[in-house]
Amino acid sequence: MNVKKILLNALFLLFFFQSALFSQETTENLFAGIEIGSKGIKMSVLDVKNIKRGDFVIKSYWSENVGIARGIAIDGNLAKEDIEKTALVVLSNYSKIKNDFKVTDENIFIVGSSGVAMAKNTQELADKIKLLTNKTLDFIDAQTEGKMLLKGCVPPSDYKDSMILDIGGGNTKGGYIDVRNNDAFVFFPLSVSYGTITLTEAVIKKTRKDDISEYNEKSFGFLPTLRDQINAMYGTSPVALEKEKVFMSGGAVWAFYTLYNGVAKETFNKFNLEDVLNYDAILKNNFRKFEELAKTDKDAERVLKTYSQKYLISGSNILLVCLEAIPEINDKKLYFAKEGQIAWLVSYIADRSKKIKKIY
């Protein structure tokens, strides 16, 4: 082989690898979301390998503090100056996503949270976003939150065999898929009015002093009420109890998994009822162990800075009661779905995938 041919082959290979690298950087598998929340704007960039299996990687996630919803409490409207500021922040990050991450325009989604959707003048914000980005601003209302939670936290290939429960601050919500006539996927919501914060407040009302031992005692006495609500939730939708897989998300589950197992490294992290029972025992009887851990573990420190012991106890109680009410729980597969904050974006991607069945 002569020198000229060798050089031509080398140039061809170089061009091939550069083309492959460029195609990876501008791949159609990259998606991004901008969520306008009450207290801030969150940006996410995902590299989706296989949406059906829930196989994706978070390439980047960041936020900017913009309190757009503060005017709602005053007159029910978003303030004009807050709309302007929010729209400019959205535009700046929209441009960053397109230019720095090479996400195509059709793969970028912008939404407003249910808290922002409460305002009477949301159309003004939508019009401003449209003017600056030419993108349509969708709003996530509370009614669709459970469905999006399932679509965003459960791999589509597991839809039929799973249910999702998210333990939030104000309530516990989720649902499951049932297959009806003509192989139609129908979503059935699940909800309980207690979350980490609301349960803590309910227990505090029954205590006379700021003492953890009394709180523990009153919290234990509140368990029958909590069990009644959980059983009523499952009672209205007994098919949920037949599901093989249970996906859990929310702050209380994040706190449990991080303090007991360490930081979650996978999108879906396995655990079992015994893990929760052991965590609960440490939480209520040897909390100092977690306090000592937080001195050397930044993730544990973050949990304890986010939640006091009382909030952690309430979250653990909800988690335990939700699991213990499920028959043959030790035969189920339990997962902590750690990416709850981007569930809406994964849900959007799943909705637009031709490989995923539509959920009604």
Side-chain angles (χ1 to χ4, degrees):
M1 184 180 291
N2 58 40
V3 174
K4 184 177 180 181
K5 195 168 185 180
I6 293 174
L7 287 173
L8 285 173
N9 284 337
L11 287 171
F12 173 78
L13 287 173
L14 179 61
F15 173 79
F16 174 80
F17 286 122
Q18 285 179 332
S19 297
L21 180 61
F22 179 78
S23 66
Q24 287 178 354
E25 290 176 347
T26 58
T27 176
E28 61 182 12
N29 293 335
L30 285 179
F31 293 82
I34 300 175
E35 180 187 5
I36 304 172
S38 300
K39 298 181 179 179
I41 301 174
K42 302 173 184 176
M43 278 61 64
S44 311
V45 179
L46 306 184
D47 185 355
V48 179
K49 310 295 184 182
N50 186 318
I51 191 62
K52 191 170 184 178
R53 294 199 305 263
D55 185 5
F56 61 86
V57 175
I58 299 179
K59 291 185 68 68
S60 190
Y61 180 81
W62 70 98
S63 63
E64 293 198 33
N65 294 324
V66 181
I68 188 174
R70 59 184 178 178
I72 297 177
I74 300 172
D75 61 3
N77 289 299
L78 304 173
K80 303 287 186 184
E81 60 269 26
D82 292 334
I83 289 176
E84 292 292 330
K85 182 177 181 181
T86 296
L88 290 174
V89 170
V90 168
L91 174 61
S92 173
N93 286 283
Y94 169 74
S95 300
K96 177 180 179 179
I97 288 168
K98 290 185 69 174
N99 298 328
D100 294 359
F101 293 93
K102 310 301 181 187
V103 181
T104 58
D105 190 69
E106 61 269 25
N107 285 0
I108 302 174
F109 308 108
I110 306 176
V111 300
S113 71
S114 57
V116 177
M118 293 169 59
K120 294 183 290 186
N121 62 335
T122 54
Q123 191 58 46
E124 292 181 32
L125 176 63
D127 290 343
K128 191 67 178 180
I129 296 295
K130 183 73 173 180
L131 178 65
L132 294 178
T133 67
N134 200 34
K135 302 289 291 185
T136 299
L137 173 62
D138 294 331
F139 286 95
I140 303 173
D141 58 49
Q143 293 181 352
T144 62
E145 199 169 5
K147 185 188 291 188
M148 296 186 80
L149 191 63
L150 181 138
K151 289 190 291 184
C153 288
V154 176
S157 57
D158 291 327
Y159 279 171
K160 292 190 291 185
D161 303 319
S162 306
M163 74 164 162
I164 175 81
L165 286 174
D166 177 273
I167 303 174
N171 60 10
T172 298
K173 56 196 172 295
Y176 66 94
I177 297 296
D178 197 10
V179 182
R180 295 299 174 94
N181 296 334
N182 300 318
D183 199 31
F185 281 18
V186 182
F187 176 76
F188 289 85
L190 298 169
S191 66
V192 171
S193 59
Y194 286 116
T196 301
I197 295 174
T198 48
L199 179 58
T200 301
E201 291 173 346
V203 174
I204 287 176
K205 288 180 180 178
K206 295 180 177 291
T207 60
R208 290 170 295 180
K209 54 184 179 180
D210 187 18
D211 179 78
I212 194 64
S213 60
E214 184 183 3
Y215 181 85
N216 246 330
E217 179 185 339
K218 297 298 182 182
S219 184
F220 180 80
F222 208 89
L223 287 177
T225 301
L226 185 59
R227 289 194 183 100
D228 286 344
Q229 286 212 15
I230 299 294
N231 288 332
M233 175 185 75
Y234 289 138
T236 58
S237 302
V239 174
L241 301 175
E242 301 171 8
K243 300 299 182 180
E244 176 191 355
K245 299 174 182 178
V246 180
F247 289 82
M248 306 289 297
S249 65
V253 192
W254 163 69
F256 142 69
Y257 196 91
T258 304
L259 291 176
Y260 189 75
N261 293 296
V263 65
K265 297 180 180 179
E266 307 295 332
T267 303
F268 308 107
N269 304 271
K270 287 185 176 181
F271 68 94
N272 55 49
L273 179 61
E274 185 178 359
D275 293 335
V276 183
L277 288 168
N278 291 338
Y279 162 77
D280 187 72
I282 297 171
L283 186 60
K284 295 172 180 175
N285 303 306
N286 187 21
F287 188 64
R288 187 165 184 80
K289 179 177 180 178
F290 291 144
E291 291 178 320
E292 290 298 316
L293 176 65
K295 293 178 180 179
T296 57
D297 188 309
K298 290 185 178 179
D299 295 296
E301 179 187 25
R302 184 180 166 208
V303 171
L304 297 194
K305 283 186 175 180
T306 305
Y307 297 112
S308 67
Q309 185 181 6
K310 292 178 182 178
Y311 286 134
L312 291 173
I313 289 172
S314 294
S316 182
N317 282 343
I318 297 172
L319 177 58
L320 266 178
V321 173
C322 283
L323 295 177
E324 289 177 336
I326 301 174
E328 301 177 346
I329 185 62
N330 290 323
D331 295 329
K332 306 286 186 180
K333 294 178 181 178
L334 310 181
Y335 300 92
F336 163 45
K338 73 168 184 174
E339 308 298 359
Q341 77 275 12
I342 57 165
W344 73 268
L345 176 55
V346 180
S347 174
Y348 264 53
I349 298 169
D351 279 347
R352 286 154 179 78
S353 172
K354 296 179 180 178
K355 298 179 181 179
I356 309 302
K357 287 186 68 66
K358 186 176 179 62
I359 298 174
Y360 299 93

